[in-house]
Amino acid sequence: LHADYVSMLPNDNIASMALAFERMNPSSIIVLEHDVWPTMVMYAHIKNIPIYLLNAQMTSCTAKNLELYNAAY
């Protein structure tokens, strides 16, 4: 598995994610462990960037937030 870019993510808000996506310009995202963040998922969806989950988990609170984002968009 080859990664073009490995980075810690910024705070899970629109402005921070927009800047991170602009700088990294990902063609896909691989999520490991506990790194599923609703704003990142939403922004990737808007930009048509596929997300692959490897051993990832989502808390019930995060899942609820993601449902709210999906309802809003």
Side-chain angles (χ1 to χ4, degrees):
L1 183 61
H2 174 73
D4 293 326
Y5 192 89
V6 176
S7 175
M8 294 188 67
L9 292 172
N11 291 328
D12 192 44
N13 63 58
I14 294 289
S16 296
M17 282 296 164
L19 182 59
F21 274 66
E22 181 182 319
R23 288 182 178 172
M24 291 185 283
N25 193 26
S27 58
S28 65
I29 297 170
I30 299 173
V31 178
L32 303 172
E33 296 293 329
H34 303 285
D35 297 328
V36 179
W37 293 2
T39 306
M40 177 186 68
V41 172
M42 180 194 67
Y43 204 83
H45 175 74
I46 290 169
K47 295 290 189 177
N48 293 317
I49 299 168
I51 296 179
Y52 301 96
L53 303 177
L54 301 177
N55 196 32
Q57 300 176 30
M58 186 181 299
T59 67
S60 59
C61 181
T62 299
K64 252 184 166 175
N65 288 338
L66 189 54
E67 287 176 21
L68 292 173
Y69 277 117
N70 286 337
Y73 296 93

